[in-house]
Amino acid sequence: MRHDDERPIAANALERVTWALRRAEWAVQTRKDQRLRPLGIAAAQYTLLMNVRSDPGLTGAELARRLNVTPQAVASQVARLEERGHLERRSHPRHRHVQELHLTDAGLDSLRDADAVIVGIEELIAEKLGPRKTAQLRTLLDEVADVVREA
């Protein structure tokens, strides 16, 4: 490892927009995990279940791409959720080696409970920011996502 590199690191590196976004995400994820823990579900599992609910029949590979995680990470979470009876795998109608993911009734019940917790967190944020700033934040975050995707 070289330590004699002359390239500077900006003095305000931790004050950049990307660090502010990351700090906000850490805070939200931490709160989600804290509030979801009593339900026996992690924030990552909530996200996975929400995606399967919105698009039934996703494969593990599709889910990994959508969530920007490794297929192994998805497989691990799917196995846990399947053991709890929240997800089931079904054979793809045309590709016998492909397994589709579907919510079970128990999974849908757990997702509803978890979503109520997430709504509570979002309401807390919206209450603190107020309607105008909440709408503005949503618009700005959507714009950031668009700018980064287009870059």
Side-chain angles (χ1 to χ4, degrees):
M1 180 175 342
R2 268 185 41 202
H3 292 286
D4 62 346
D5 193 335
E6 296 289 323
R7 291 174 294 154
I9 296 174
N12 69 344
L14 296 178
E15 297 169 17
R16 294 181 188 150
V17 168
T18 53
W19 276 104
L21 286 168
R22 188 64 181 132
R23 284 191 308 273
E25 180 61 14
W26 278 330
V28 170
Q29 283 301 109
T30 298
R31 183 54 52 102
K32 284 180 181 180
D33 280 326
Q34 289 169 344
R35 297 275 172 92
L36 290 171
R37 190 172 297 122
L39 301 178
I41 190 168
Q45 293 169 334
Y46 165 80
T47 301
L48 190 149
L49 291 172
M50 187 61 81
N51 275 274
V52 171
R53 182 190 178 277
S54 70
D55 199 356
L58 282 173
T59 66
E62 290 168 333
L63 200 48
R65 283 189 294 276
R66 183 177 285 188
L67 300 177
N68 197 30
V69 298
T70 65
Q72 294 84 354
V74 167
S76 174
Q77 293 297 338
V78 165
R80 285 187 187 106
L81 291 166
E82 193 174 29
E83 284 174 12
R84 291 188 209 147
H86 293 164
L87 280 180
E88 64 182 15
R89 299 174 210 233
R90 298 182 195 159
S91 295
H92 188 281
R94 290 181 304 277
H95 307 284
R96 62 185 175 134
H97 296 295
V98 175
Q99 297 285 300
E100 297 181 335
L101 300 171
H102 295 271
L103 280 181
T104 63
D105 289 342
L108 185 55
D109 287 343
S110 288
L111 180 58
R112 285 184 176 125
D113 293 342
D115 192 53
V117 168
I118 302 305
V119 167
I121 294 169
E122 291 176 0
E123 286 173 346
L124 176 71
I125 294 166
E127 181 181 310
K128 184 70 176 172
L129 294 179
R132 186 181 61 76
K133 284 185 178 178
T134 299
Q136 185 179 25
L137 177 61
R138 175 60 197 250
T139 298
L140 289 170
L141 290 172
D142 286 344
E143 288 178 22
V144 168
D146 291 344
V147 165
V148 172
R149 270 194 292 272
E150 293 169 4

